[in-house]
Amino acid sequence: MAPERDSGREAIRDRNPAGATATARTRPRLDQPRPPRRRILPEWDPEAFGRLSERIARFLGTGRFIVWMTVVIILWVVWNVAAPRDLRFDQYPFIFLTLMLSLQASYAAPLILLAQNRQDDRDRVNLEQDRKQNERSIADTEYLTREIAALRIGLGEVATRDWIRSELQDLMKELEERQNGHHEPAVFPADRSPGRDVDDR
């Protein structure tokens, strides 16, 4: 009886392994990506579909499309009016033509809206980039304005060439007058206060 019990326990262990292998089988592994789920709906590339919709919208907005559509409608009507009765495929109320035009319009409207949405997204990105560029330009302008103001303040305290030239000319005139014997009173006379001796230097 004992060997049968041991064999039964081994069979249970084989069906329910313990340890890391048991948890790996019951739980999904975190170090591996999930397998793709099957989808009922067909898959497509949204970027390629968007580019196709933009091409169709551009074509629908051209005069060439209007001309070709007008030619097709005229040929349709003329064929179904003037052709032999056995070869006509759409009688006078032209119900099939109305159906085809409605079908074309029902597909054209979403394609045009999709193209407009993509264009709006591009415009939004461009506006955001322009706004950031304007902010950088304003910051650079303010920085340059502060630098120019600092330079002006610094230059206001520096002796300019014209000021030095005028000072030198005044000194030359004063020296020439002293050499010629003309003595003018000094601009800053000596301090002759009562508590100070005149000869004290």
Side-chain angles (χ1 to χ4, degrees):
M1 299 296 285
E4 291 179 358
R5 289 179 182 173
D6 293 338
S7 63
R9 289 176 183 172
E10 290 177 2
I12 291 172
R13 285 177 187 171
D14 292 339
R15 279 183 287 178
N16 298 324
T21 57
T23 56
R25 289 183 182 177
T26 57
R27 296 180 184 173
R29 295 187 61 173
L30 297 177
D31 60 343
Q32 294 180 356
R34 286 185 176 178
R37 293 185 297 178
R38 294 181 181 177
R39 295 185 179 181
I40 301 173
L41 298 175
E43 296 182 4
W44 65 88
D45 184 11
E47 191 65 26
F49 190 75
R51 288 194 297 267
L52 178 63
S53 67
E54 287 180 346
R55 290 179 185 173
I56 294 173
R58 287 194 190 99
F59 177 70
L60 292 177
T62 58
R64 183 185 303 173
F65 170 75
I66 296 173
V67 169
W68 280 108
M69 187 173 171
T70 305
V71 169
V72 168
I73 291 172
I74 290 172
L75 290 177
W76 188 297
V77 171
V78 169
W79 177 266
N80 289 300
V81 170
R85 194 172 289 272
D86 296 337
L87 298 177
R88 297 178 189 174
F89 56 89
D90 193 13
Q91 296 297 326
Y92 164 65
F94 307 119
I95 298 173
F96 187 50
L97 176 62
T98 306
L99 178 63
M100 294 300 294
L101 292 176
S102 300
L103 185 65
Q104 181 264 333
S106 65
Y107 273 95
L111 289 174
I112 291 171
L113 288 175
L114 180 59
Q116 287 180 350
N117 289 337
R118 285 172 59 85
Q119 185 63 39
D120 290 341
D121 293 339
R122 282 196 296 268
D123 292 342
R124 192 178 302 111
V125 171
N126 291 333
L127 287 174
E128 184 67 21
Q129 291 178 352
D130 291 342
R131 185 182 65 81
K132 291 180 180 178
Q133 182 65 33
N134 289 336
E135 287 179 356
R136 286 194 295 268
S137 299
I138 291 171
D140 293 341
T141 305
E142 290 178 354
Y143 172 75
L144 291 175
T145 304
R146 288 193 297 268
E147 289 295 319
I148 290 172
L151 287 174
R152 284 183 177 175
I153 292 171
L155 286 175
E157 298 174 357
V158 176
T160 60
R161 185 176 60 182
D162 295 336
W163 182 81
I164 293 173
R165 184 179 296 166
S166 64
E167 290 293 320
L168 288 175
Q169 288 176 356
D170 292 341
L171 285 174
M172 293 294 291
K173 286 180 182 178
E174 186 177 349
L175 289 173
E176 288 176 358
E177 290 175 355
R178 285 186 180 180
Q179 287 179 357
N180 294 335
H182 300 287
H183 296 284
E184 292 183 357
V187 178
F188 299 105
D191 188 9
R192 298 180 181 271
S193 58
R196 183 176 176 183
D197 193 4
V198 177
D199 296 334
D200 189 10
R201 294 184 181 178

